[in-house]
C-alpha cells in the first residue's frame, strides 16, 4: 500500500519470538488480520433496518448459539416482507429476490446485533463509541471494529453515531502472516494441550520445561451445581470464608457483565474488592502485582495479568524488605493466593492460565472452579441429560457434586469446543491458502515494480503482451467478420488517441506493421510527457499509475472472493466440494484480474496527456485561493481584487 521502499515499515521477515504464543497464534487466529478503508455511507439504512428488526417477535427467528447465527422462520420471513412492503423498500414482493440482497444482509446483521451480541460481554460503550471486548482476555481491543457491517448494526442498536462502513483493502490470516518468517519460536505456560495444532499448522514442536521450583499449589476438584443461583451463593460463601481469615483472592469471570454481577454480590456482604476488567485495564499490572496482599479481593475477566508474577505479601521493591518478608510468610501460612474460577471457559488452556496465577515460584496456593448446568459451556455444548443424572443422584438445592461422570462430561464439552475452534481455524487457513498464493504473486510483482528504476520495461512488456492478444483476436475477426470483440478492445485501449482513419489503417495493416504502429504511438505519448516533465518524473508517474492500478484491482478482487467465500458452502448441496469449487473460481477470477490490470495500465498511459498550464492561469487559481480568506462575498460586477482592472466575473470569478 506504499509507493516507495522508504515508506515501508516491515523490512523482511527473518525471525519471530512470540510471547504468549498460544494466545497469539491459536486464540487470535480465528479472525484474519484486515487493513480497511472507508466505504459508502449507509447510516440511514442501518437505523431504519434496526427499527424494523426490533418489531419482530420471538417466533420470527431461531438463535443458533453454537455458530453465533440467527435464522428467520417462515413466520419471520412473512412478517418482514409485510414490514418492508409497508415501508415501500421491498422489490418484487420477495425478501430473497436477488435485487434485495443488500436488504437481507442488513437484516441478518441487525438480528445478530440485537439478539446475539451482548453489551458488556462482547462489547462496551466508552467515549460514546462501541469498543470490542476480547472474548479471551476481557481487554478492550482498541482501534478494532467488527467487519461486514456488524459494527454499524451495533451502533444503530445502541443509538450511537454510526461511523462509515469499511471495505477491505488487504487481509491475511495470522497463520499465513507468521509463516512469512523464516524462523518462528515462542513461549507460553500452556502450550502442551495445543501441541497437535502447533505442529500441523506452524510445523512447531512443543517442549515442556520443568518449573524452577517444585509446584505445591492445591488444585481442588470442581464444585458442580444445578443452577447458577446455587453456584453464586456457594462462591460468595467461599470468598467470605477466605476474606475472614485474610487470605488473598483472585476471582475469574468470563465477561465484564459477570464480573459486575459478582461485584454487586460482594458489596452486599460488605467485602472490599477491586473489579479489574476492560473498563479500567490501564492499571492492570499494578493491581495484579499487589494481588498477593492480605485481604486482597480482585475480580477479573478471563486471563488478565498474564506476564506479572504475583508476589505474596505485596510487590517487591518496598523500602522495608524485612516487613515484606514477614507479610509473605504470613500469607504463605494462610495457604497463599486462592484462585476461584466462576465457570469453566471454552478452552482447558484458559482455565490452566487462570490457575497459573497462583503457586508461582514454588509458593503455596490453591485453585477451585465452580460450575453450574446453566453456564454457557454446559448449556450449549454439555449433555442435555446431565440434569436428569444429577436428580437421579439425589442432588438437593444448594448441594454440589464431585463425580467422575460429571467431570468427564465437563471435559468432553471443553474438548468439543476446542475441536470446533480448531476446525474453524483449519477451514479458514485452507481457504486463505488459495488467496495466499495469489497474494504472494501480486505483492511480489508490486514490490518489484516499486523498487525498479526501469519502469518503462514493465510498460513495454505489458504492451507487448496486449498486442499479442490483439493479433490473435484480429485473426479470429478475419475468420468471423461479425465478431466485434477485436474492434471493441482496440477502441477501449486507444480511446480518443486515434481518429477513425488511423483505426482503419491499423486494422488493415499486417502483424508487424500493426505491432510497430502501436509501439510508435505508445512511445510518442511517453516522449511528449518526458519533454514536459523530464524523464525521472515521467518514470515516477508510470510507476504510480501501475501501483495504483494493482491496488485498485486487488481490492476489488478481495471483495469478490469475500462474497464468493460466503456463498460457496451452498455448492455442497449439489454434491460438490466447496473448497475445490472455490479454488477453480478464484483461479479464473485471478486470471481475469491480471489481464484487466495490464489493460487498465496500458489504456491510461496511452491516453494520458500532460499539459503545461499557462502562468496566467496558475496565478488566477492562486488568486482564487487568496479570495477564499477575504471573509466577505465579492459581487460578480465588483472590480477584481487581483488588481487586473477587470470586473470580477470577467477575471478571477470567471466560471
Amino acid at each position: 500500500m506504499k509507493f516507495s521502499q522508504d515508506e515501508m515499515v516491515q523490512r523482511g521477515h527473518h525471525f519471530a519470538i512470540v510471547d504468549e504464543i498460544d494466545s497469539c497464534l491459536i486464540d487470535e487466529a480465528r479472525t484474519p488480520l484486515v487493513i480497511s478503508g472507508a466505504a459508502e455511507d449507509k447510516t440511514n439504512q442501518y437505523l431504519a433496518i434496526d427499527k424494523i428488526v426490533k418489531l419482530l417477535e420471538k417466533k420470527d427467528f431461531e438463535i443458533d448459539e453454537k455458530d453465533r447465527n440467527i435464522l428467520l422462520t417462515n413466520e419471520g420471513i412473512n412478517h418482514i416482507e409485510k414490514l418492508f412492503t409497508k415501508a415501500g423498500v421491498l422489490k418484487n414482493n420477495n425478501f430473497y429476490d436477488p435485487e434485495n440482497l443488500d436488504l437481507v444482509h442488513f437484516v441478518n446483521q441487525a438480528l445478530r446485533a440485537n439478539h446475539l451480541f451482548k453489551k458488556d460481554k462482547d462489547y462496551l460503550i466508552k467515549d460514546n463509541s462501541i469498543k470490542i471486548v476480547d472474548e479471551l482476555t476481557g481487554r478492550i481491543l482498541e482501534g478494532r471494529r467488527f467487519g461486514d457491517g456488524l459494527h454499524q448494526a451495533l451502533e444503530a442498536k445502541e443509538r450511537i453515531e454510526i461511523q462509515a462502513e469499511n471495505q477491505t483493502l488487504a487481509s491475511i490470516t495470522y497463520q499465513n502472516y507468521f509463516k512469512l518468517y523464516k524462523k518462528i519460536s515462542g513461549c507460553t505456560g500452556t502450550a502442551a494441550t495445543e501441541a497437535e495444532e502447533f505442529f500441523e499448522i506452524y510445523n512447531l514442536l512443543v517442549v515442556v520445561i520443568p518449573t524452577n521450583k517444585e509446584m505445591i499449589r492445591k488444585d481442588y476438584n470442581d464444585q458442580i451445581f444445578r443452577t447458577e443461583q446455587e453456584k453464586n451463593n456457594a462462591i460468595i460463601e467461599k470468598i467470605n470464608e477466605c476474606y475472614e481469615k485474610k487470605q488473598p483472592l483472585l476471582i475469574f469471570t468470563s465477561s465484564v457483565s459477570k464480573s459486575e454481577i459478582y461485584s454487586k454480590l460482594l458489596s452486599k456482604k460488605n467485602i472490599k474488592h477491586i473489579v479489574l476488567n476492560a473498563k479500567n485495564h490501564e492499571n492492570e499490572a499494578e493491581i495484579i502485582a499487589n494481588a498477593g496482599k492480605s485481604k486482597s479481593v480482585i475480580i477479573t475477566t478471563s486471563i488478565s495479568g498474564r506476564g506479572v508474577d504475583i508476589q505474596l505479601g505485596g510487590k517487591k521493591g518496598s523500602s522495608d524488605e524485612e516487613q515484606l518478608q514477614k507479610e509473605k510468610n504470613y500469607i504463605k501460612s494462610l495457604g497463599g493466593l486462592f484462585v476461584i474460577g466462576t465457570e469453566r471457559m471454552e478452552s482447558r488452556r484458559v482455565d490452566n492460565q487462570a490457575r497459573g496465577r497462583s503457586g508461582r515460584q514454588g509458593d503455596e496456593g490453591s485453585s477451585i472452579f465452580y460450575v453450574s448446568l446453566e453456564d454457557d459451556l454446559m448449556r450449549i455444548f454439555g449433555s442435555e441429560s446431565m440434569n436428569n443424572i444429577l436428580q437421579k443422584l439425589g442432588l438437593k438445592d444448594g448441594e454440589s457434586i464431585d463425580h467422575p461422570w460429571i467431570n468427564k462430561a465437563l471435559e468432553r464439552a471443553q474438548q468439543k469446543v476446542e475441536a470446533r475452534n480448531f476446525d474453524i481455524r483449519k477451514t479458514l487457513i485452507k481457504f486463505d491458502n488459495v488467496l495466499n498464493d495469489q497474494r504472494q504473486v501480486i505483492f511480489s510483482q508490486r514490490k518489484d515494480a516499486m523498487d525498479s528504476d526501469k519502469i518503462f520495461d514493465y510498460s513495454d512488456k505489458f504492451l507487448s503482451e496486449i498486442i499479442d492478444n490483439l493479433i490473435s483476436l484480429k485473426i479470429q475477426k478475419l475468420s468471423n467478420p461479425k465478431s466485434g470483440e477485436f474492434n471493441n478492445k482496440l477502441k477501449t485501449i486507444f480511446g480518443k488517441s486515434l481518429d477513425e482513419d488511423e483505426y482503419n489503417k491499423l486494422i488493415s495493416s499486417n502483424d508487424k506493421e500493426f505491432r510497430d504502429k502501436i509501439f510508435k504511438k505508445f512511445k510518442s505519448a511517453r516522449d511528449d510527457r518526458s519533454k514536459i516533465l523530464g524523464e525521472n518524473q515521467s518514470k515516477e508517474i508510470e510507476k504510480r499509475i501501475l501501483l495504483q492500478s494493482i491496488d485498485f484491482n486487488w481490492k476489488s478482487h478481495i471483495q469478490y472472493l469475500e462474497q464468493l467465500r460466503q456463498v460457496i458452502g451452498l455448492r455442497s448441496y449439489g454434491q460438490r466440494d466447496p473448497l475445490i469449487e472455490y479454488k477453480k473460481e478464484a483461479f479464473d477470477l485471478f486470471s481475469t484480474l491480471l489481464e484487466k490490470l495490464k489493460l487498465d495500465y496500458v489504456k491510461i498511459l496511452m491516453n494520458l496527456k500532460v499539459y503545461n498550464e499557462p502562468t496566467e492561469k496558475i496565478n488566477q487559481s492562486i488568486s482564487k485561493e487568496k479570495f477564499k480568506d477575504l471573509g466577505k462575498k465579492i459581487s460578480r460586477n465588483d472590480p477584481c481584487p487581483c488588481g487586473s482592472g477587470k470586473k470580477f466575473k470577467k477575471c478571477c470569478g470567471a466560471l
Side-chain angles (χ1 to χ4, degrees):
M1 301 175 80
K2 304 294 182 189
F3 291 103
S4 73
Q5 187 71 38
D6 301 342
E7 294 174 326
M8 287 185 72
V9 180
Q10 298 193 29
R11 302 158 295 174
H13 303 85
H14 303 291
F15 63 88
I17 303 171
V18 188
D19 190 21
E20 303 295 0
I21 194 168
D22 57 330
S23 177
C24 193
L25 267 58
I26 289 176
D27 297 333
E28 299 278 355
R30 271 187 283 170
T31 314
L33 290 158
V34 170
I35 298 174
S36 56
E40 185 187 346
D41 186 11
K42 296 174 182 171
T43 304
N44 295 335
Q45 285 160 291
Y46 281 108
L47 288 166
I49 300 288
D50 187 73
K51 281 179 188 171
I52 286 173
V53 161
K54 282 188 165 84
L55 298 173
L56 293 178
E57 297 162 24
K58 276 191 176 177
K59 63 177 182 181
D60 291 335
F61 53 84
E62 290 173 356
I63 298 173
D64 180 354
E65 288 189 275
K66 280 187 186 179
D67 288 332
R68 298 210 86 183
N69 203 2
I70 291 193
L71 305 167
L72 285 168
T73 59
N74 287 337
E75 292 106 313
I77 293 165
N78 293 334
H79 193 178
I80 215 147
E81 281 180 348
K82 279 180 191 170
L83 292 167
F84 280 131
T85 304
K86 196 176 175 183
V89 292
L90 192 71
K91 290 169 186 167
N92 303 330
N93 296 321
N94 180 1
F95 181 56
Y96 287 106
D97 187 277
E99 288 193 45
N100 296 318
L101 275 178
D102 276 359
L103 213 55
V104 173
H105 176 70
F106 282 130
V107 168
N108 284 342
Q109 296 299 45
L111 280 167
R112 290 179 74 211
N114 277 282
H115 301 290
L116 271 179
F117 284 76
K118 305 276 193 296
K119 184 181 167 188
D120 286 344
K121 182 184 177 192
D122 302 295
Y123 66 91
L124 52 86
I125 298 168
K126 193 176 180 185
D127 303 329
N128 207 30
S129 66
I130 301 254
K131 306 277 187 185
I132 301 175
V133 175
D134 187 338
E135 61 178 317
L136 295 154
T137 63
R139 298 182 183 119
I140 288 177
L141 297 174
E142 281 296 348
R144 299 253 197 112
R145 288 175 66 80
F146 290 115
D148 211 20
L150 177 61
H151 212 96
Q152 287 74 14
L154 287 166
E155 287 166 335
K157 169 193 171 183
E158 299 291 352
R159 294 294 182 267
I160 284 171
E161 185 188 348
I162 297 174
Q163 294 178 34
E165 196 172 332
N166 289 335
Q167 61 182 0
T168 304
L169 304 178
S171 79
I172 190 169
T173 56
Y174 273 79
Q175 291 96 326
N176 277 326
Y177 174 72
F178 280 100
K179 279 159 118 181
L180 292 173
Y181 287 92
K182 294 182 184 78
K183 187 83 181 167
I184 180 169
S185 63
C187 40
T188 177
T190 48
T193 54
E194 309 300 326
E196 184 193 345
E197 185 165 350
F198 275 120
F199 186 72
E200 192 172 326
I201 305 287
Y202 301 100
N203 200 28
L204 284 173
L205 293 169
V206 172
V207 179
V208 179
I209 299 169
T211 53
N212 177 33
K213 292 179 183 173
E214 189 188 346
M215 209 268 288
I216 57 170
R217 183 183 67 232
K218 288 179 186 169
D219 294 328
Y220 294 102
N221 288 333
D222 297 358
Q223 296 291 303
I224 297 154
F225 296 84
R226 285 225 323 271
T227 66
E228 193 164 5
Q229 179 67 51
E230 292 169 59
K231 180 188 80 171
N232 289 350
N233 291 341
I235 289 170
I236 298 302
E237 206 175 295
K238 187 71 181 172
I239 292 170
N240 197 34
E241 182 192 312
C242 295
Y243 185 71
E244 290 293 323
K245 63 174 188 177
K246 300 182 180 179
Q247 185 176 7
L249 281 154
L250 195 53
I251 301 131
F252 282 89
T253 65
S254 62
S255 66
V256 176
S257 53
K258 293 262 175 84
S259 65
E260 288 177 352
I261 288 168
Y262 287 106
S263 175
K264 282 175 188 167
L265 291 171
L266 289 181
S267 297
K268 281 181 186 173
K269 290 271 186 184
N270 293 322
I271 295 172
K272 282 177 77 177
H273 62 279
I274 295 171
V275 180
L276 174 60
N277 58 34
K279 291 182 177 179
N280 68 341
H281 73 108
E282 293 88 353
N283 309 319
E284 182 179 314
E286 182 69 24
I287 292 167
I288 289 288
N290 284 307
K293 281 187 171 179
S294 168
K295 272 201 159 187
S296 162
V297 180
I298 296 172
I299 302 172
T300 181
T301 43
S302 200
I303 45 177
S304 301
R306 299 206 306 178
V308 180
D309 259 355
I310 296 173
Q311 301 292 334
L312 299 184
K315 196 169 64 168
K316 276 187 177 176
S318 162
S319 53
D320 193 349
E321 288 292 330
E322 194 180 325
Q323 181 59 33
L324 202 65
Q325 191 58 46
K326 275 184 188 173
E327 281 288 320
K328 181 170 183 172
N329 293 335
Y330 173 61
I331 300 296
K332 285 174 91 168
S333 70
L334 297 174
L337 177 68
F338 202 121
V339 167
I340 294 177
T342 58
E343 65 184 270
R344 282 286 190 172
M345 305 299 169
E346 283 191 357
S347 161
R348 287 169 296 169
R349 267 183 316 108
V350 179
D351 291 342
N352 292 340
Q353 285 157 358
R355 279 200 156 121
R357 299 295 94 223
S358 175
R360 311 285 281 192
Q361 301 292 335
D363 285 343
E364 283 79 1
S366 314
S367 74
I368 191 167
F369 279 87
Y370 287 82
V371 181
S372 88
L373 298 189
E374 292 177 351
D375 292 349
D376 289 346
L377 179 76
M378 298 304 286
R379 192 169 47 79
I380 301 169
F381 294 96
S383 165
E384 288 176 18
S385 58
M386 188 83 71
N387 201 17
N388 299 335
I389 293 170
L390 292 190
Q391 281 176 328
K392 280 175 187 172
L393 291 168
L395 195 69
K396 296 184 180 122
D397 284 355
E399 280 185 353
S400 67
I401 191 167
D402 173 9
H403 196 284
W405 289 359
I406 307 292
N407 290 340
K408 276 276 179 223
L410 199 59
E411 199 174 315
R412 275 199 303 274
Q414 283 182 310
Q415 283 169 345
K416 272 188 203 173
V417 184
E418 287 168 12
R420 180 186 187 77
N421 290 341
F422 187 16
D423 284 343
I424 290 169
R425 291 189 288 268
K426 276 203 287 194
T427 305
L428 180 73
I429 197 169
K430 275 178 192 169
F431 279 90
D432 191 64
N433 281 341
V434 178
L435 183 59
N436 198 48
D437 296 339
Q438 299 179 1
R439 187 189 289 124
Q440 285 175 345
V441 171
I442 281 285
F443 286 1
S444 64
Q445 198 177 64
R446 194 188 186 283
K447 192 171 183 298
D448 289 347
M450 188 174 70
D451 295 343
S452 174
D453 55 355
K454 294 179 181 174
I455 197 69
F456 290 165
D457 293 352
Y458 275 86
S459 322
D460 295 347
K461 187 186 168 202
F462 285 174
L463 181 64
S464 182
E465 287 173 18
I466 286 168
I467 292 169
D468 289 341
N469 192 0
L470 283 169
I471 288 170
S472 65
L473 280 175
K474 191 166 167 249
I475 294 162
Q476 285 175 28
K477 185 184 186 299
L478 292 170
S479 61
N480 180 14
K482 287 186 179 177
S483 170
E485 192 181 349
F486 172 72
N487 286 32
N488 292 341
K489 200 153 193 180
L490 207 58
K491 285 186 177 178
T492 303
I493 294 167
F494 289 101
K496 293 178 181 176
S497 63
L498 292 181
D499 57 35
E500 201 63 39
D501 190 41
E502 284 177 305
Y503 266 122
N504 294 331
K505 281 180 184 174
L506 192 61
I507 292 165
S508 60
S509 60
N510 64 40
D511 291 355
K512 188 179 183 306
E513 286 174 344
F514 182 81
R515 182 181 292 276
D516 291 345
K517 279 180 181 176
I518 293 176
F519 257 110
K520 192 178 175 186
K521 190 77 186 168
F522 188 74
K523 293 269 175 63
S524 168
R526 179 187 283 158
D527 291 343
D528 290 346
R529 287 196 298 273
S530 296
K531 278 176 194 169
I532 297 170
L533 301 167
E535 191 170 321
N536 287 342
Q537 197 64 34
S538 186
K539 277 181 180 177
E540 188 59 32
I541 278 187
E542 288 201 18
K543 186 183 283 190
R544 284 279 172 135
I545 292 167
L546 175 58
L547 297 179
Q548 285 178 343
S549 182
I550 290 171
D551 294 346
F552 177 77
N553 283 290
W554 178 245
K555 183 176 72 179
S556 304
H557 182 67
I558 290 173
Q559 284 164 352
Y560 279 137
L561 288 184
E562 270 182 12
Q563 288 158 3
L564 179 64
R565 173 81 179 85
Q566 285 171 10
V567 298
I568 203 78
L570 298 172
R571 305 280 175 94
S572 58
Y573 291 115
Q575 307 301 312
R576 287 183 288 178
D577 185 336
L579 183 61
I580 292 169
E581 292 287 305
Y582 182 75
K583 281 179 181 175
K584 278 184 199 167
E585 296 214 19
F587 179 77
D588 292 342
L589 282 168
F590 190 61
S591 303
T592 309
L593 161 80
L594 293 176
E595 281 305 308
K596 188 176 180 298
L597 201 154
K598 290 169 192 169
L599 214 76
D600 288 356
Y601 179 50
V602 168
K603 184 168 65 179
I604 292 168
L605 291 182
M606 196 68 91
N607 293 280
L608 184 70
K609 294 275 189 293
V610 178
Y611 292 101
N612 212 342
E613 202 172 10
T615 315
E616 185 186 341
K617 206 164 184 182
I618 293 169
N619 289 340
Q620 282 183 5
S621 67
I622 293 167
S623 302
K624 283 180 191 174
E625 286 300 314
K626 284 181 184 175
F627 302 150
K628 283 181 187 174
D629 302 324
L630 285 176
K632 63 173 184 176
K633 192 176 177 184
I634 303 163
S635 169
R636 287 178 48 69
N637 289 311
D638 284 351
C640 188
C642 76
S644 64
K646 296 178 186 177
K647 285 185 177 178
F648 180 62
K649 68 180 179 184
K650 297 275 174 114
C651 187
C652 296
L655 293 173

